[in-house]
Amino acid sequence: MSQDLFQAPDYYQLDELLTEEHLLVRNAAREWVKREVSPIIEEAAQNAKFPKSIISGLAEIGAFGPYIPEEYGGAGLDQISYGLIMQEIERGDSGIRSTASVQSSLVMYPIWKYGNEAQRQKYLPKLASGEFLGCFGLTEPDHGSNPGGMTTNIKDMGDYYLLNGAKMWISNAPFADVAVVWAKNEEGRIKGVLVERGMEGFSTPETHNKWSLRASATGELIFDNVKIPKENILPNKDGLGAPLGCLDSARYGIAWGAIGAAMDCYDTALRYAKQRIQFDKPIAGMQLQQKKLAEMITEITKAQLLTWRLGVLKNENRATTAQISMAKRNNVDMAIHIAREARQILGAMGITGEYSIMRHMMNLESVITYEGTHDIHLLITGMDITGISAFK
Ligand code: TGC
Ligand code: FAD
């Protein structure tokens, strides 16, 4: 990949809305991505290999549990700092941001919020430091957008539970030390189960041949009569609302992350357009290319404002599920459009691994599908404003 010359766009001086701490956290993550992610990410994606070497760095910049209290090893930051970290990581690559999102919002968050003190003490510090990696098993082969229909189940055997079923499309599954798995009990109530690598009957085959999120490992979780100790059930919340509550936190991070991918595509395309000469002048001077670039910076700026405001609401515990859905949907869609337009500005060069744009574009095809598809988020907004569910 070409040298990382990234310069973040801030068309409306939005940095002025950030505190000293936000800027410190954001700049540290930005520098780390330049130093540690950009030089290796293209090769990792080309080889479809998750770069494990970056795990300790992710922990150091506070990407594992940014808002988890320091007593559990987290960074104890606010929601805007969390968002800014996700933005900077996804500026490098959506797959790396996925690893951080899953670890923080889908593994540490449920253990922190729904677990007991012993579970918090046992897992959170190791997850925060990167000694443990986690994954989150909600989606099943026959239940994606409709997780409430899941068939993975636990049966009470007196001293322990027996877990059976399968999860699919699980980020980090192939190497996770602990999986937060959602399963129904005999009454049909959804429970959170902590499944550890090495438990008999538990396997995690990797999913191959992905054209998207190639630097992130995806796999299945297969449970064949896995004996689960009773202390591995999350005691403090059950029902579908428990996993959906985790998704609120992860989707919020993705809303910020998508801005990072969009900023990288815009910045790359702007620089290229100023340098590339056709018909004796830079293509940046052609009206058609200016239209693309002007629309990109407009959409990025709107997304930045939307997300900053959402962060303020989240800090005040006032952000609703529907507001988070709107931001996730808008920002990922914005980023994927910008990636496609930016790719065209680079002409043939845009399809090569010399530049990050095509990788972002392919990654964003997963981002627009996972954590609730583009359609599902529209239906969440629709239900919120009309009061009528159109899911079923
Ligand atoms: P519905 O009847 O609406 O709700 C069931 C219960 O849940 C409550 N609830 C929530 N609670 C907390 N937070 C939320 N966001 C909540 N949304 C709903 C609701 O109040 C109700 O509670 P109760 O007490 O009445 O039972 O559920 P539904 O079956 O109609 O489904 C609604 C729908 C479609 C919106 C939901 O199921 C959904 O969001 N589907 C999309 C599935 C999804 O996003 N999967 C993501 C899997 S994880 C992933 O993709 C990780 S990618 C890796 C990475 O992040 O990088
Ligand atoms: P489906 O639900 O089968 O949807 C197919 C199409 O039908 C979509 O266009 C959808 O919008 C549409 N549709 C569905 N229902 C409706 C409706 N009611 N009205 C209108 N249209 C509808 N899951 C996890 O649990 N953990 C993970 O870590 C994880 N990581 C992932 C990583 C990657 C790379 C990918 C691609 C997915 C990951 N997922 C994970 C799964 C992801 O959350 C699901 O793919 C997603 O929720 C959609 O489910 P599905 O693929 O089964 O699509």
Side-chain angles (χ1 to χ4, degrees):
M1 199 172 101
S2 309
Q3 203 193 343
D4 184 351
L5 301 169
F6 178 67
Q7 285 188 311
D10 182 13
Y11 202 69
Y12 265 38
Q13 284 112 51
L14 297 175
D15 273 8
E16 290 172 15
L17 298 174
L18 303 178
T19 63
E20 282 283 302
E21 180 172 79
H22 295 150
L23 292 170
L24 269 173
V25 167
R26 199 262 325 263
N27 294 344
R30 184 167 289 171
E31 285 311 308
W32 178 78
V33 167
K34 257 193 184 177
R35 209 175 51 243
E36 304 291 337
V37 177
S38 299
I40 55 128
I41 193 61
E42 184 59 32
E43 194 181 334
Q46 293 278 1
N47 296 333
K49 219 167 168 50
F50 171 69
K52 285 193 177 161
S53 60
I54 57 153
I55 289 173
S56 58
L58 280 169
E60 274 161 31
I61 60 164
F64 292 158
Y67 55 83
I68 300 286
E70 287 170 287
E71 61 178 304
Y72 299 117
L77 297 167
D78 76 348
Q79 292 290 321
I80 292 182
S81 288
Y82 161 43
L84 288 164
I85 294 173
M86 296 300 121
Q87 171 188 287
E88 294 307 314
I89 299 176
E90 193 146 3
R91 206 281 294 173
D93 189 80
S94 304
I96 308 299
R97 197 268 308 132
S98 257
T99 294
S101 292
V102 169
Q103 184 90 339
S104 300
S105 289
L106 300 182
V107 179
M108 297 177 75
Y109 177 87
I111 294 174
W112 175 46
K113 282 284 175 187
Y114 315 148
N116 58 32
E117 197 49 34
Q119 291 166 339
R120 289 184 199 124
Q121 296 290 351
K122 179 174 176 187
Y123 296 105
L124 292 179
K126 286 185 174 162
L127 288 160
S129 69
E131 183 184 341
F132 267 19
L133 276 183
C135 69
F136 176 89
L138 181 64
T139 306
E140 298 187 350
D142 294 330
H143 300 96
S145 298
N146 177 26
M150 72 174 68
T151 58
T152 297
N153 61 88
I154 47 169
K155 214 183 233 174
D156 193 340
M157 305 302 281
D159 293 346
Y160 59 90
Y161 288 99
L162 216 46
L163 173 66
N164 278 291
K167 301 287 178 180
M168 198 178 179
W169 298 114
I170 307 304
S171 301
N172 298 354
F175 47 75
D177 302 284
V178 58
V180 173
V181 173
W182 301 93
K184 282 183 180 163
N185 67 11
E186 283 110 321
E187 288 81 49
R189 193 80 187 150
I190 292 171
K191 296 281 202 179
V193 185
L194 299 169
V195 185
E196 292 178 18
R197 183 166 297 284
M199 286 181 168
E200 213 179 316
F202 174 42
S203 55
T204 59
E206 184 158 0
T207 303
H208 294 289
N209 293 330
K210 293 179 301 170
W211 283 116
S212 176
L213 282 203
R214 287 171 64 82
S216 157
T218 313
E220 294 168 60
L221 304 175
I222 297 173
F223 317 108
D224 180 11
N225 284 321
V226 185
K227 272 187 177 180
I228 305 289
K230 290 217 153 160
E231 65 261 25
N232 281 33
I233 302 294
L234 296 175
N236 295 333
K237 191 164 166 82
D238 52 23
L240 187 57
L244 293 180
C246 307
L247 295 185
D248 274 357
S249 177
R251 290 166 177 172
Y252 166 78
I254 291 171
W256 282 91
I259 297 175
M263 291 198 306
D264 198 46
C265 293
Y266 164 76
D267 179 60
T268 303
L270 177 62
R271 188 172 305 106
Y272 187 91
K274 286 181 185 167
Q275 287 166 359
R276 176 70 175 164
I277 310 288
Q278 288 294 290
F279 300 96
D280 304 322
K281 71 180 217 191
I283 59 169
M286 313 291 192
Q287 285 187 0
L288 284 173
Q289 306 315 315
Q290 286 194 2
K291 175 176 187 290
K292 290 190 181 84
L293 292 163
E295 285 175 353
M296 283 181 206
I297 192 62
T298 308
E299 290 308 315
I300 288 171
T301 305
K302 281 153 66 180
Q304 286 171 326
L305 277 163
L306 180 76
T307 314
W308 176 81
R309 174 63 186 155
L310 185 65
V312 171
L313 291 174
K314 199 126 195 334
N315 274 342
E316 295 169 358
N317 264 326
R318 291 197 293 139
T320 65
T321 292
Q323 287 169 336
I324 294 168
S325 275
M326 180 184 281
K328 190 266 183 186
R329 181 175 187 274
N330 180 78
N331 292 7
V332 178
D333 192 51
M334 171 280 294
I336 215 166
H337 274 94
I338 285 180
R340 288 171 186 155
E341 295 289 280
R343 217 274 324 135
Q344 290 192 57
I345 291 178
L346 268 70
M349 284 312 291
I351 71 154
T352 72
E354 275 297 292
Y355 295 90
S356 54
I357 297 175
M358 190 85 183
R359 178 166 45 77
H360 282 306
M361 189 201 296
M362 294 194 297
N363 283 342
L364 289 162
E365 292 292 342
S366 285
V367 183
I368 204 164
T369 291
Y370 68 32
E371 296 276 4
T373 66
H374 193 59
D375 297 331
I376 289 295
H377 288 296
L378 178 124
L379 295 177
I380 290 174
T381 306
M383 182 168 73
D384 193 50
I385 57 178
T386 64
I388 305 166
S389 166
F391 293 114
K392 297 167 193 160

